[in-house]
Amino acid sequence: MADPINRFSNRVENYIKFRPGYSAEIIQELSRKIDLTPASVVADIGSGTGISSKLFLENRNVVYGVEPNAAMRNAAKELLSGYDNFIGVEGAAESTTLNEESIDIITAFQAFHWFDNPKARLEFKRILRKDGFLCLVWNERQLDSNNFLRDYERFLIEYGTDYGKVRHDQITRESIETSFEKPFSVFTLSNEQILDFEGLKGRLLSSSYMPSETDAGFAEMVKTLFTLFSRFEEKGRIRIQYDTNVFYGMI
């Protein structure tokens, strides 16, 4: 499997443009469930291009965006340049460089499956304040709620390089509880993207497990994707539904 730190370096532009965002309902739910307030200090681990950090910045939280990939960090710096409460940090889940007991809430959006869990657990416990929370979030694409999503999943299995190894929908509350030896709760929100063909192509190419433009077979893959899109598009658009799963607990 490719280096988890650098495997997104050539996908930053597509990541920024075509990755699904997150509903502001996450902030509302966390405010009710774990007492998230604007005064809470957040460490967003694997913060990438800043898509997830922006949720908390708009809630007026101070956010430390911890990201090991330089291209991703630079993209976040540009995207979030208007927020004085964002601090970009060169670090990783296993070594954040943050101060001991300095964080109220640790978040990881689409990133936890890349972590070295035993080392990350120790680091998270070090930087969290007493009664702090860990929140792990994924946009999980629905696999079989309609014919397009079923055929799209088959397409990913056929053309993906290591799709089966990195799929994060295999992570469950039970596996998270095993990793941290603590109980976790979960809530789920609905999310979706409505994309034209260029949007669908960009969404595909933002995924590290798919061939890039320089790989053999790329042209064939795009041709097959267009055929798939053409079969299911309505008025030049297709719809991708997601379940946004939010796991949270004290560690």
Side-chain angles (χ1 to χ4, degrees):
M1 184 164 58
D3 175 6
I5 292 176
N6 295 310
R7 61 187 290 152
F8 287 98
S9 295
N10 64 343
R11 301 177 187 269
V12 171
E13 183 177 355
N14 283 319
Y15 204 103
I16 293 170
K17 290 181 179 179
F18 301 115
R19 279 287 171 131
Y22 301 94
S23 169
E25 287 183 68
I26 292 177
I27 299 297
Q28 299 166 13
E29 289 293 323
L30 292 180
S31 298
R32 288 192 287 265
K33 296 178 184 300
I34 65 172
D35 198 28
L36 169 70
T37 74
S40 302
V41 178
V42 176
D44 190 15
I45 311 298
S47 51
T49 62
I51 296 171
S52 52
S53 295
K54 190 176 180 182
L55 275 177
F56 296 90
L57 295 172
E58 291 180 345
N59 193 50
R60 305 194 305 280
N61 299 105
V62 171
V63 179
Y64 291 88
V66 179
E67 173 55 50
N69 182 286
M72 289 279 197
R73 279 198 315 277
N74 290 335
K77 181 179 179 180
E78 182 175 349
L79 176 70
L80 304 175
S81 60
Y83 295 92
D84 294 335
N85 46 336
F86 179 74
I87 302 100
V89 177
E90 181 179 0
E94 302 79 12
S95 179
T96 65
T97 78
L98 300 179
N99 292 334
E100 186 174 341
E101 296 184 6
S102 61
I103 301 299
D104 297 305
I105 299 171
I106 294 172
T107 63
F109 285 65
Q110 310 291 138
F112 175 70
H113 51 291
W114 302 117
F115 300 167
D116 182 325
N117 290 354
K119 292 180 180 178
R121 176 172 174 255
L122 291 174
E123 178 69 350
F124 291 173
K125 289 172 72 70
R126 184 186 71 81
I127 67 174
L128 269 179
R129 292 176 178 147
K130 183 181 179 181
D131 299 330
F133 277 85
L134 170 64
C135 298
L136 306 175
V137 185
W138 286 274
N139 275 323
E140 303 281 5
R141 176 175 35 82
Q142 295 180 10
L143 302 182
D144 62 356
S145 55
N146 60 49
N147 288 332
F148 167 73
L149 291 173
R150 281 188 283 274
D151 285 2
Y152 186 63
E153 176 68 5
R154 285 191 282 269
F155 169 87
L156 296 179
I157 292 170
E158 179 178 356
Y159 286 98
T161 54
D162 56 355
Y163 176 57
K165 294 180 180 178
V166 303
R167 275 178 51 167
H168 45 71
D169 58 348
Q170 300 171 14
I171 297 175
T172 63
R173 182 170 65 179
E174 290 73 21
S175 67
I176 293 171
E177 290 175 339
T178 298
S179 293
F180 291 98
E181 299 177 352
K182 295 286 186 177
F184 273 69
S185 300
V186 60
F187 63 87
T188 300
L189 302 172
S190 296
N191 200 1
E192 69 174 12
Q193 287 181 294
I194 300 174
L195 302 170
D196 61 13
F197 177 70
E198 288 304 313
L200 179 63
K201 177 183 172 184
R203 173 66 185 90
L204 179 77
L205 297 182
S206 75
S207 299
S208 65
Y209 49 76
M210 299 308 295
S212 67
E213 289 90 337
T214 58
D215 292 332
F218 176 80
E220 178 190 344
M221 179 187 74
V222 173
K223 182 179 179 181
T224 303
L225 181 69
F226 183 75
T227 299
L228 177 62
F229 175 85
S230 299
R231 284 173 53 208
F232 293 103
E233 59 86 13
E234 295 183 8
K235 297 181 179 179
R237 299 288 190 274
I238 56 91
R239 187 185 305 267
I240 300 179
Q241 288 94 8
Y242 300 89
D243 296 318
T244 304
N245 293 318
V246 181
F247 301 86
Y248 62 97
M250 290 183 174
I251 61 170

